[in-house]
Amino acid sequence: VSNESLEMPTGSQDPTPVLSYVSKSMNRSQPTTLEDVATRAGVSPGTVSRVLNGKNKENRPAIAKRSERIRRIAMQLGYRPNVAARSMLRGAFRAVAFVTCGDLGNDWYPISALNSIHSKLEASQWRLMFNELPASKIGDAKLVPNLFRETSVDGLIINLLPVFSEDLVEYFESQPLPCVWLNLKRSFGSVYPDDANGAELGVNYLIKRGHKRIGYLSRLFASPTHFSALDRFAGYSSAMAAANLPTHRHLPLLSNRGDALQPTLTMDRARELLLRFPDTEAVFCYEYEEAVCLMVAAERIGRRVPDTLEIVGVHEREIRASSGLSIPTAIIPFYDLGSHAVEMVRQMIDSGNRNIPSVAVPYKSVLI
Amino acid sequence: VSNESLEMPTGSQDPTPVLSYVSKSMNRSQPTTLEDVATRAGVSPGTVSRVLNGKNKENRPAIAKRSERIRRIAMQLGYRPNVAARSMLRGAFRAVAFVTCGDLGNDWYPISALNSIHSKLEASQWRLMFNELPASKIGDAKLVPNLFRETSVDGLIINLLPVFSEDLVEYFESQPLPCVWLNLKRSFGSVYPDDANGAELGVNYLIKRGHKRIGYLSRLFASPTHFSALDRFAGYSSAMAAANLPTHRHLPLLSNRGDALQPTLTMDRARELLLRFPDTEAVFCYEYEEAVCLMVAAERIGRRVPDTLEIVGVHEREIRASSGLSIPTAIIPFYDLGSHAVEMVRQMIDSGNRNIPSVAVPYKSVLI
DNA sequence: TTGTACGCGTTATCAG
DNA sequence: CTGATAACGCGTACAA
């Protein structure tokens, strides 16, 4: 297959290399190599490498022309450097693994956040591996995950469910790789959203709309509790306090507090909130689920949203656009979270220092 | 290099290398290599490789003991084979890239589906790369994405937004890599959910509950339309027809059909549906958004869900569990989709044949 | 069973 | 600026 001369050297040509090119081209399974291009161009692999990497000045026109020819041949042959070879030579992979540890569907992370990590890496020619380690399998010494059986990346960006945090942090930190933590609040090596600030943003939005009797609704949290559960409530409280407004319009946050009869389903909690504090004008919700439940519960007892009850929530993305639901939303700054995580892990890799102070990423806006 | 006696051979030992091992240990940046282990164990790298890969029978006790020692040293030194070296030797990467093409937040794919792809790959020691190519940047010959600038994977699993499908398929297929398509209905190389079947499942659930006046609600689709928009409606229609029930309780699906005044926001469409067909007992919804909007719209006009209006939806995961919202849900079979996609791409890679018939993956159940 | 030697594809070095 | 050569880490023929 394929032998027609794409373009022969202007001067002398030796037919032999052509044949070897042909035979190589027969089994199209193997990608074009530097040597293929070199043979084809009648130069050495080293030269091709230099030209393709722009390490030549190409002052003289003859040189420039030859280089041009090499580039064209490389393109026509579809040459692409082999990442494995480059990695070996470099002694590093230029790759980072994103790791998530939920169990079977229990896991959550928006693709947009992955995109932000990827685009930040892409900008500097790094690659992103995706990895899921079921928490249930960690610790079993016999079931070493692929990720730790071979060296394949230079660093880790890890997203844990709060339930597992305590046990798993140590496991990862003991690996010979720098770790950056998402979704975890620590003093070092962590990147997390400033949820207090996000809640303040949302509550202030409601205050500016003229409301004073503002409530707070969240699902019932089990222990250990995710920091966002505490921080969003803290943000609600501080924003209210700053405006001299009362903060009692909410149910117990944690399942081990309060009376034994408190409702556990978010839908029931929403109803309960409205019944217990019927004069509530507006509610700040922990997440989309709360907002939806509250909306339904409100309409069910004749409160119209947003006419007689305003709801603000937190979510990964805008809610209203196509649906038309009236839920202004504080957007979790996933894009910035990803950027910071990548910056931090690369800093760890470059410096060899893992003790980089954590970053709390501020929320930016409330999307209406 | 390296000699500090973690464990010395029972016989001779030479102290000099200790220093060099320490110095190696100082800059913890370089991972342990096969040669490090070999030096340490006083054997050749080849032997270590064979022992670690179980290529020796280890019949004789002396051999077995030595092998054990080698394994222990490897473990103590934290030896992990370098994936780049293996890839080079093998002439393949044992890696697949997941590619997604939305633009800035416009993108969608549940992490659980990524998990299914990953776990299937993990089982056979393959790795998963994550890659996002903003559709807006594709086609710009000057902005070649990282993924195509170097060879780094053996195959692609691609998730496209319907808007871009037409233009981009060709671009990917022209790459020297096998492609499997998700979220795209073609005769070859594609893996997609059987949405007609999913809708039938949902509608039959409502029929079995004794309902006869069953409607269908979806958002208003722009062109080109995702196959699920057509297939779910087709499934609704066929399930109804099979039960001799009327299928007129729905609004126009596409934005270029019907009158110019039809509502575009899903919330408005939900209200419109209820007003236009007030005798509707139950509704099958295209997705979660429709279900939520319909719920709110229904409660707003005094219809209680599920008491006087039953709603069934389609979603990536169960809705009811913690929220308490009464929306039985046909679960998109993402787990099976991932499995099939991995199987297909590996089949393509192994056989070199890209023309593998597509697979329509059935829905399994309606979760209450 | 062991050690030796080679090659995978690429880049850096060094002499021409 | 070029070509030859060495080196990255690993696995595997080959000879011992």
Side-chain angles (χ1 to χ4, degrees), chain A residues 172-183:
Chain A
F172 283 103
E173 294 278 8
S174 75
Q175 301 294 335
L177 286 172
C179 303
V180 166
W181 300 94
L182 295 172
N183 214 4

Side-chain angles (χ1 to χ4, degrees), chain B residues 43-44 47 50 56-58 63 66 88-89:
Chain B
V43 296
S44 78
T47 303
R50 260 166 308 184
N56 280 358
K57 291 178 190 163
E58 303 187 20
I63 305 288
R66 183 203 296 240
M88 276 196 46
L89 215 51

Side-chain angles (χ1 to χ4, degrees), chain B residues 249-266:
Chain B
R249 291 182 179 81
H250 65 89
L251 308 182
L253 271 64
L254 306 178
S255 60
N256 52 355
R257 282 205 324 215
D259 59 21
L261 293 176
Q262 68 176 282
T264 57
L265 292 177
T266 306

Side-chain angles (χ1 to χ4, degrees), chain B residues 61 94 125 149 170 193 207 239 253 268 281 327 346 348:
Chain B
R94 290 217 181 154
Q125 316 259 70
R149 287 181 46 77
E170 199 181 347
I207 293 176
L253 271 64
D268 295 334
E281 305 164 329
I327 311 178
R346 295 207 40 192
M348 287 179 178

Side-chain angles (χ1 to χ4, degrees), chain B residues 183-198:
Chain B
N183 214 4
L184 203 60
K185 221 173 149 179
R186 317 168 76 222
S187 14
F188 293 97
S190 166
V191 175
Y192 54 88
D194 185 346
D195 279 308
N197 149 287

Side-chain angles (χ1 to χ4, degrees), chain A residues 53-214:
Chain A
N53 292 331
K55 307 251 169 170
N56 280 356
K57 291 178 190 161
E58 304 187 19
N59 293 328
R60 302 208 302 265
I63 305 286
K65 193 177 175 188
R66 181 201 298 238
S67 299
E68 200 46 56
R69 209 176 75 81
I70 291 175
R71 275 189 286 270
R72 192 163 50 234
I73 292 178
M75 173 158 301
Q76 287 168 332
L77 258 43
Y79 170 72
R80 289 164 187 193
N82 182 311
V83 119
R86 285 184 157 177
S87 296
M88 275 196 46
L89 216 51
R90 188 183 301 130
F93 296 94
R94 291 217 179 152
V96 167
F98 174 87
V99 180
T100 187
C101 290
D103 269 309
L104 272 185
N106 200 1
D107 209 351
W108 180 81
Y109 206 78
I111 199 96
S112 65
L114 264 180
N115 283 346
S116 80
I117 293 177
H118 173 263
S119 75
K120 186 83 177 178
L121 288 169
E122 171 91 5
S124 51
Q125 317 259 71
W126 281 54
R127 279 161 298 119
L128 177 58
M129 310 259 322
F130 181 90
N131 240 277
E132 206 241 356
L133 306 193
S136 58
K137 286 182 182 167
I138 289 182
D140 185 342
K142 282 152 200 168
L143 277 172
V144 180
N146 221 310
L147 179 62
F148 296 143
R149 288 182 45 78
E150 301 179 322
T151 349
S152 58
V153 296
D154 304 313
L156 265 32
I157 295 178
I158 308 172
N159 176 253
L160 287 187
L161 282 185
V163 195
F164 306 118
S165 320
E166 312 294 332
D167 303 334
L168 265 50
V169 171
E170 199 181 348
Y171 169 76
F172 283 103
E173 294 278 8
S174 75
Q175 301 294 335
L177 286 172
C179 303
V180 166
W181 300 94
L182 295 172
N183 214 4
L184 202 61
K185 222 171 148 179
R186 318 168 76 224
S187 14
F188 294 96
S190 166
V191 174
Y192 54 88
D194 186 345
D195 279 309
N197 149 288
E200 284 168 7
L201 230 57
V203 172
N204 283 334
Y205 169 88
L206 291 172
I207 293 176
K208 278 191 197 123
R209 304 260 312 153
H211 297 297
K212 298 201 183 306
R213 299 189 294 275
I214 302 174

Side-chain angles (χ1 to χ4, degrees), chain B residues 235-289:
Chain B
Y236 158 76
S237 300
S238 69
M240 293 295 278
N244 274 318
L245 297 174
T247 61
H248 64 284
R249 291 182 179 81
H250 65 89
L251 308 182
L253 271 64
L254 306 178
S255 60
N256 52 355
R257 282 205 324 215
D259 59 21
L261 293 176
Q262 68 176 282
T264 57
L265 292 177
T266 306
M267 188 62 202
D268 295 334
R269 284 170 64 84
R271 194 172 57 90
E272 176 81 5
L273 182 76
L274 292 173
L275 295 183
R276 201 184 290 184
F277 309 105
D279 62 348
T280 304
E281 305 164 329
V283 177
F284 178 79
C285 289
Y286 173 76
E287 244 283 1
Y288 186 48
E289 178 178 299

